[in-house]
Amino acid sequence: MESIHASSSSSLNHRAFDISSLNFNSNSNSSPTTSSRESALSVISSDSGSGSKDGRSPVVMGSSINYKHKVINGPCGYVLEDVPHLTDYIPDLPTYPNPLQDNPAYSVVKQYFVHVDDTVPQKVVVHKDGPRGVHFRRAGPRQKVYFQSEEVQAAIVTCGGLCPGLNTVIREIVCSLHQMYGVKKVYGINGGYRGFYARNILTLTPKSVNNIHKRGGTVLGTSRGGHDTNKIVDSIQDRGINQVYIIGGDGTQKGASVIFEEVRRRGLKVAVAGIPKTIDNDIPVIDRSFGFDTAVEEAQRAINAAHVESESVENGIGLVKLMGRHSGFIAMYATLASRDVDCCLIPESPFYLEGPGGLFEFIEKRLKENGHMVIVIAEGAGQELLSESIQSMDMQDASGNKLLQDVGLWISQKIKDHFAKHSTMNITLKYIDPTYMIRAVPSNASDNVYCTLLAQSCVHGVMAGYTGFTSGLVNGRQTYIPFYRIIEKQHQVVITDRMWARLLSSTNQPSFLTAKDIVEDKEEALKKSVEDGH
């Protein structure tokens, strides 16, 4: 086995090609100039039709492409999933020297700017004879920028639910634009997407955002829904905004992708960039989302309280419900960190209540062994059991998310009813739901650092003319990821993976899986691995 990684000191020149010299111009039907270094490259697209959606001619480089799938194939199985650039649809844009070359803060850096060939692999552990796999463009400042400081009018918007670190990201975008690039006009969009056309914008300065990272929530306000693409882009155009920073989860990033599509269709010199935000850590590709570490840390307080309550009485049960609509990462990591949890239930791992090997049997066994127990359940777990016993309504919130039943209250009552009817054991159950307390706190030190890196990387990319991308951490390196990779699916716990096995060994709980379930899950995991290029 060998590890592959990209760094500033290790470019791809030894692979005999230069990705920076490729020209993606959607206004031209001609093939780009080729050289001996580029002869091994080809560009592919899953949308290989004869033209793009808006009627523009596609780029022809070996095969016709749609800008969204700006994929470069190189030697040894190398694949670069590149991000769009303003020059893809606006030719002959002027460039300017990067102001960072005169910035005292960067004078100590050995290499001011990211090398044009630097990429980051999605997977670092590969077989020695295996392909090099999928890469993403490495984030960081470029030697040339496509915006003059005085022409920039930037807008920042936060959408969806709250998450620790939102204010830190806002602060660092503002400060990075001001202090690194000399940008003076930075605005905040009040109240989510609808704020573009329904509310006044706020002027943001380093002074006005100086202490906001110490507060939870978002100073810009947020909302779900309200996405009217034409109204939003009309507002962007009318106000003269040319940089848009969108902070939100997968639904918000889908909205950002649509905004970018419309901006490109109109031929506007407007860079649209996203910063992924979800407390559930359910965004694919990236290592983790900001706010997740804080959420896990705060969850410890609730778990500790449940443990104290449960061990203070005979046959005490502490039940804690944590966030996680479709992904159980908070519950899993909080359980592993705590060591006081006896059973963790997540959406990805089905469980059943009654009968041999069921949850009720395990609870009774653990109470007889220890005299108390702690259960952690993610909010999306067991929803199929609720729908069997409670009339389920397919209601959605403004973002299109299905409204979930309260599994914590439901399972609490089920446990109480079971022991009242089928056991001579008297139990005392305490139910704790810290959901909104967790997401409303300021970010911890680890997330504050991460938010700073995300924000600065995003600003560097936008100033360099990249657009239609999300800034994210991949294998410990900041990268630019095309929108379509971020919104294609949700990141979930793989219950046939080692991390879930570590949890099961830590809690000593049953997997609640039959042999058939295990085979099916392994087949699904293998299919997912193939799709991800692993």
Side-chain angles (χ1 to χ4, degrees), residues 124-172:
V124 294
V125 180
V126 298
H127 295 289
K128 63 180 181 179
D129 299 323
R132 294 179 60 203
V134 174
H135 290 232
F136 299 103
R137 188 172 289 278
R138 187 182 178 196
R142 265 55 181 179
Q143 193 165 7
K144 297 291 185 181
V145 295
Y146 285 77
F147 293 93
Q148 288 183 300
S149 302
E150 58 270 18
E151 75 171 299
V152 174
Q153 295 195 66
I156 307 170
V157 64
T158 54
C159 305
L162 296 182
C163 177
L166 281 169
N167 283 334
T168 306
V169 174
I170 295 168
R171 180 188 188 278
E172 293 309 316

Side-chain angles (χ1 to χ4, degrees), residues 16-18 21-22 32-41:
F17 64 92
D18 181 359
S21 58
L22 295 174
T33 302
T34 58
S35 67
S36 59
R37 300 184 72 205
E38 297 165 356
S39 60
L41 295 177

Side-chain angles (χ1 to χ4, degrees), residues 182-212:
V183 174
K184 304 302 180 185
K185 298 175 182 177
V186 185
Y187 306 109
I189 305 301
N190 193 4
Y193 275 135
R194 62 171 50 90
F196 276 101
Y197 54 86
R199 299 190 183 184
N200 291 326
I201 62 175
L202 312 171
T203 299
L204 302 176
T205 65
K207 183 176 181 180
S208 68
V209 300
N210 186 47
N211 292 311
I212 63 173

Side-chain angles (χ1 to χ4, degrees), residues 94-275:
T95 61
Y96 312 96
N98 194 321
L100 282 178
Q101 66 187 14
D102 301 316
N103 190 310
Y106 273 73
S107 62
V108 298
V109 180
K110 183 178 180 181
Q111 184 178 340
Y112 274 47
F113 306 112
V114 173
H115 194 282
V116 292
D117 283 351
D118 276 0
T119 63
V120 178
Q122 182 175 356
K123 184 178 176 65
V124 294
V125 180
V126 298
H127 295 289
K128 63 180 181 179
D129 299 323
R132 294 179 60 203
V134 174
H135 290 232
F136 299 103
R137 188 172 289 278
R138 187 182 178 196
R142 265 55 181 179
Q143 193 165 7
K144 297 291 185 181
V145 295
Y146 285 77
F147 293 93
Q148 288 183 300
S149 302
E150 58 270 18
E151 75 171 299
V152 174
Q153 295 195 66
I156 307 170
V157 64
T158 54
C159 305
L162 296 182
C163 177
L166 281 169
N167 283 334
T168 306
V169 174
I170 295 168
R171 180 188 188 278
E172 293 309 316
I173 292 175
V174 174
C175 291
S176 296
L177 285 168
H178 273 258
Q179 295 166 5
M180 290 196 289
Y181 289 98
V183 174
K184 304 302 180 185
K185 298 175 182 177
V186 185
Y187 306 109
I189 305 301
N190 193 4
Y193 275 135
R194 62 171 50 90
F196 276 101
Y197 54 86
R199 299 190 183 184
N200 291 326
I201 62 175
L202 312 171
T203 299
L204 302 176
T205 65
K207 183 176 181 180
S208 68
V209 300
N210 186 47
N211 292 311
I212 63 173
H213 62 291
K214 300 175 183 177
R215 298 159 50 184
T218 165
V219 295
L220 298 181
T222 185
S223 66
R224 297 188 183 277
H227 189 284
D228 187 316
T229 306
N230 285 326
K231 286 185 177 180
I232 291 171
V233 179
D234 285 346
S235 175
I236 290 171
Q237 197 168 359
D238 292 344
R239 296 177 188 272
I241 293 169
N242 51 21
Q243 293 185 4
V244 183
Y245 299 89
I246 301 173
I247 310 167
D250 56 347
T252 300
Q253 300 302 312
K254 288 176 184 176
S257 180
V258 174
I259 291 171
F260 163 65
E261 291 260 13
E262 179 62 18
V263 164
R264 187 187 71 92
R265 190 189 68 81
R266 298 187 188 187
L268 304 178
K269 186 187 176 183
V270 178
V272 180
I275 294 180

